[in-house]
Amino acid sequence: AQIEGKEAGVEVHQEAGSTRLSDLINKDPMFEICFTHPRLLAAVSRVLQMDFKVHSLNFRAALPGQGLQALHADWTPSTEVHREQLKAGYYYVCNSIWLIDGFTRENGATRVVPGFHCSGKMPADEMEDPTRPHPDEVRLTAPAGTVVVFNGHTWHGGTLNASTRSRRGMHSAFIRRD
Protein backbone atom coordinates (compact mmCIF):
# COMPACT_ATOMS: atom_id res chain seq x y z
CA ALA A 1 0.00 0.00 0.00
CA GLN A 2 2.89 2.37 0.70
CA ILE A 3 4.41 1.79 -2.76
CA GLU A 4 1.11 2.25 -4.61
CA GLY A 5 -0.03 5.15 -2.43
CA LYS A 6 -3.51 6.48 -3.10
CA GLU A 7 -3.80 4.20 -6.15
CA ALA A 8 -3.69 1.06 -3.96
CA GLY A 9 -6.82 -0.98 -4.44
CA VAL A 10 -8.24 0.86 -7.44
CA GLU A 11 -8.47 -2.35 -9.50
CA VAL A 12 -11.45 -3.39 -7.37
CA HIS A 13 -12.47 -0.26 -5.51
CA GLN A 14 -11.37 1.97 -2.72
CA GLU A 15 -13.52 2.65 0.30
CA ALA A 16 -13.37 5.01 3.21
CA GLY A 17 -12.45 3.34 6.48
CA SER A 18 -10.31 0.59 5.04
CA THR A 19 -6.92 -0.02 3.52
CA ARG A 20 -7.07 -1.98 0.28
CA LEU A 21 -4.47 -3.55 -1.95
CA SER A 22 -5.44 -5.30 -5.19
CA ASP A 23 -3.85 -7.76 -7.59
CA LEU A 24 -1.88 -9.74 -5.02
CA ILE A 25 -1.62 -12.49 -7.64
CA ASN A 26 0.99 -10.43 -9.45
CA LYS A 27 2.71 -9.01 -6.37
CA ASP A 28 4.57 -12.04 -5.00
CA PRO A 29 4.61 -15.86 -5.44
CA MET A 30 3.94 -16.25 -1.69
CA PHE A 31 0.26 -15.43 -2.40
CA GLU A 32 -0.21 -18.41 -4.75
CA ILE A 33 -1.50 -20.60 -1.93
CA CYS A 34 -4.54 -18.30 -1.77
CA PHE A 35 -5.76 -19.51 -5.17
CA THR A 36 -4.13 -22.96 -5.48
CA HIS A 37 -4.77 -24.74 -2.16
CA PRO A 38 -6.52 -28.07 -2.91
CA ARG A 39 -9.13 -27.73 -0.14
CA LEU A 40 -10.01 -24.23 -1.30
CA LEU A 41 -10.36 -25.39 -4.91
CA ALA A 42 -12.56 -28.30 -3.81
CA ALA A 43 -14.86 -25.93 -1.92
CA VAL A 44 -15.05 -23.51 -4.85
CA SER A 45 -15.81 -26.41 -7.20
CA ARG A 46 -18.64 -27.48 -4.91
CA VAL A 47 -20.22 -24.01 -5.11
CA LEU A 48 -19.72 -23.31 -8.82
CA GLN A 49 -20.13 -26.92 -10.05
CA MET A 50 -18.24 -26.36 -13.28
CA ASP A 51 -14.89 -25.18 -14.61
CA PHE A 52 -13.80 -21.90 -13.02
CA LYS A 53 -10.92 -19.44 -12.94
CA VAL A 54 -9.38 -17.01 -10.47
CA HIS A 55 -11.01 -13.60 -10.63
CA SER A 56 -9.06 -11.63 -8.03
CA LEU A 57 -6.94 -11.68 -4.91
CA ASN A 58 -7.09 -8.57 -2.77
CA PHE A 59 -6.24 -7.36 0.72
CA ARG A 60 -8.65 -5.40 2.92
CA ALA A 61 -8.03 -4.04 6.40
CA ALA A 62 -10.98 -2.51 8.26
CA LEU A 63 -9.53 0.38 10.25
CA PRO A 64 -10.39 0.95 13.93
CA GLY A 65 -13.76 2.64 14.30
CA GLN A 66 -14.59 2.04 10.63
CA GLY A 67 -15.00 -0.71 8.04
CA LEU A 68 -18.80 -0.94 7.95
CA GLN A 69 -20.01 -2.05 4.53
CA ALA A 70 -23.53 -2.15 3.20
CA LEU A 71 -24.79 -5.65 2.59
CA HIS A 72 -24.08 -6.54 -1.03
CA ALA A 73 -23.55 -9.48 -3.35
CA ASP A 74 -20.54 -9.72 -5.63
CA TRP A 75 -22.54 -10.39 -8.76
CA THR A 76 -25.74 -8.68 -9.80
CA PRO A 77 -28.20 -10.58 -12.00
CA SER A 78 -28.84 -8.31 -14.97
CA THR A 79 -31.73 -10.22 -16.55
CA GLU A 80 -34.65 -12.39 -15.55
CA VAL A 81 -32.77 -15.33 -17.10
CA HIS A 82 -29.92 -14.74 -14.61
CA ARG A 83 -32.43 -14.62 -11.73
CA GLU A 84 -33.93 -17.93 -12.83
CA GLN A 85 -30.44 -19.45 -13.15
CA LEU A 86 -29.66 -18.44 -9.55
CA LYS A 87 -32.89 -20.02 -8.34
CA ALA A 88 -31.84 -23.21 -10.16
CA GLY A 89 -28.43 -23.26 -8.44
CA TYR A 90 -26.38 -21.88 -11.34
CA TYR A 91 -23.89 -19.60 -9.57
CA TYR A 92 -21.27 -17.32 -11.08
CA VAL A 93 -19.02 -16.25 -8.19
CA CYS A 94 -17.43 -17.92 -5.18
CA ASN A 95 -15.44 -16.01 -2.55
CA SER A 96 -12.94 -16.87 0.11
CA ILE A 97 -11.56 -14.80 2.94
CA TRP A 98 -8.17 -15.65 4.38
CA LEU A 99 -8.23 -14.34 7.96
CA ILE A 100 -4.92 -12.69 8.76
CA ASP A 101 -6.40 -11.56 12.08
CA GLY A 102 -9.10 -13.39 13.94
CA PHE A 103 -12.54 -12.10 12.97
CA THR A 104 -14.57 -11.19 16.07
CA ARG A 105 -17.77 -9.33 16.84
CA GLU A 106 -15.64 -6.50 18.22
CA ASN A 107 -13.31 -6.06 15.23
CA GLY A 108 -15.97 -6.05 12.52
CA ALA A 109 -16.30 -9.62 11.31
CA THR A 110 -17.89 -10.14 7.92
CA ARG A 111 -21.63 -10.79 8.10
CA VAL A 112 -23.61 -12.98 5.72
CA VAL A 113 -27.34 -13.44 5.23
CA PRO A 114 -27.94 -17.11 4.42
CA GLY A 115 -30.56 -18.05 1.87
CA PHE A 116 -30.61 -14.91 -0.24
CA HIS A 117 -27.91 -16.17 -2.63
CA CYS A 118 -30.51 -17.76 -4.89
CA SER A 119 -33.11 -14.99 -4.69
CA GLY A 120 -31.70 -12.88 -7.52
CA LYS A 121 -32.41 -9.85 -5.35
CA MET A 122 -29.95 -7.28 -4.06
CA PRO A 123 -29.96 -5.87 -0.52
CA ALA A 124 -30.40 -2.29 -1.77
CA ASP A 125 -33.64 -3.37 -3.50
CA GLU A 126 -35.02 -5.11 -0.43
CA MET A 127 -33.76 -3.09 2.53
CA GLU A 128 -34.31 0.55 3.40
CA ASP A 129 -30.71 0.77 4.65
CA PRO A 130 -28.33 -2.12 3.77
CA THR A 131 -25.78 -0.84 6.32
CA ARG A 132 -28.21 -1.74 9.10
CA PRO A 133 -28.29 -5.23 10.61
CA HIS A 134 -30.44 -7.82 8.86
CA PRO A 135 -32.53 -10.04 11.17
CA ASP A 136 -31.09 -13.21 9.60
CA GLU A 137 -27.43 -12.16 9.41
CA VAL A 138 -24.66 -14.35 10.80
CA ARG A 139 -21.21 -13.05 11.71
CA LEU A 140 -18.28 -15.08 10.40
CA THR A 141 -16.16 -15.19 13.54
CA ALA A 142 -13.07 -17.39 13.51
CA PRO A 143 -9.40 -17.38 14.55
CA ALA A 144 -6.55 -16.05 12.45
CA GLY A 145 -5.45 -18.57 9.84
CA THR A 146 -9.00 -19.66 9.01
CA VAL A 147 -10.20 -19.61 5.42
CA VAL A 148 -13.91 -18.95 4.92
CA VAL A 149 -15.49 -19.91 1.58
CA PHE A 150 -18.95 -18.70 0.56
CA ASN A 151 -21.15 -18.25 -2.47
CA GLY A 152 -20.44 -14.77 -3.90
CA HIS A 153 -24.16 -14.22 -4.44
CA THR A 154 -24.69 -14.39 -0.68
CA TRP A 155 -25.51 -11.03 0.81
CA HIS A 156 -22.46 -10.03 2.86
CA GLY A 157 -20.48 -7.08 4.19
CA GLY A 158 -17.99 -6.04 6.83
CA THR A 159 -19.30 -4.77 10.15
CA LEU A 160 -17.96 -1.88 12.20
CA ASN A 161 -14.50 -2.45 13.66
CA ALA A 162 -14.96 -1.32 17.26
CA SER A 163 -11.48 -2.48 18.29
CA THR A 164 -8.27 -0.47 18.46
CA ARG A 165 -6.52 -2.53 15.73
CA SER A 166 -7.10 -3.08 12.03
CA ARG A 167 -8.91 -6.28 11.02
CA ARG A 168 -7.01 -7.77 8.07
CA GLY A 169 -8.03 -10.34 5.51
CA MET A 170 -7.29 -11.40 1.96
CA HIS A 171 -10.16 -11.99 -0.43
CA SER A 172 -9.81 -14.43 -3.30
CA ALA A 173 -12.67 -14.66 -5.74
CA PHE A 174 -13.37 -17.24 -8.41
CA ILE A 175 -15.75 -17.08 -11.36
CA ARG A 176 -17.18 -19.62 -13.75
CA ARG A 177 -15.01 -19.95 -16.82
CA ASP A 178 -18.02 -19.35 -19.08
Side-chain angles (χ1 to χ4, degrees):
Q2 291 175 336
I3 293 170
E4 295 178 19
K6 64 182 180 180
E7 297 299 311
V10 297
E11 293 94 345
V12 175
H13 69 274
Q14 295 173 318
E15 61 182 292
S18 69
T19 300
R20 296 191 70 102
L21 186 59
S22 298
D23 195 28
L24 296 180
I25 291 170
N26 292 308
K27 300 249 188 296
D28 194 292
M30 74 176 169
F31 296 114
E32 289 180 8
I33 193 69
C34 298
F35 55 89
T36 62
H37 194 286
R39 286 186 178 175
L40 169 67
L41 297 177
V44 172
S45 180
R46 176 82 171 153
V47 172
L48 298 180
Q49 298 185 16
M50 80 173 325
D51 197 24
F52 58 89
K53 61 186 176 181
V54 177
H55 176 63
S56 61
L57 177 60
N58 306 295
F59 168 83
R60 179 177 186 266
L63 302 175
Q66 301 190 50
L68 177 64
Q69 292 178 310
L71 284 170
H72 63 280
D74 288 340
W75 188 83
T76 304
S78 57
T79 67
E80 188 57 39
V81 171
H82 289 149
R83 285 181 191 76
E84 291 305 315
Q85 287 174 336
L86 292 177
K87 290 176 185 174
Y90 185 95
Y91 304 118
Y92 293 86
V93 180
C94 184
N95 293 337
S96 67
I97 307 175
W98 295 70
L99 282 55
I100 296 171
D101 299 308
F103 278 31
T104 67
R105 292 190 70 80
E106 181 185 27
N107 73 6
T110 299
R111 60 187 171 142
V112 297
V113 184
F116 284 85
H117 62 284
C118 59
S119 71
K121 298 176 182 177
M122 299 302 286
D125 298 331
E126 298 294 311
M127 298 175 67
E128 187 174 317
D129 181 358
T131 64
R132 304 286 303 156
H134 188 282
D136 298 326
E137 75 182 32
V138 175
R139 300 248 183 132
L140 302 177
T141 59
T146 300
V147 178
V148 177
V149 178
F150 61 96
N151 187 316
H153 302 275
T154 301
W155 293 5
H156 64 281
T159 58
L160 183 69
N161 180 355
S163 76
T164 59
R165 299 182 60 187
S166 293
R167 182 194 35 77
R168 303 168 299 164
M170 292 186 298
H171 301 255
S172 55
F174 301 83
I175 58 173
R176 293 177 77 122
R177 191 161 292 280
D178 64 347

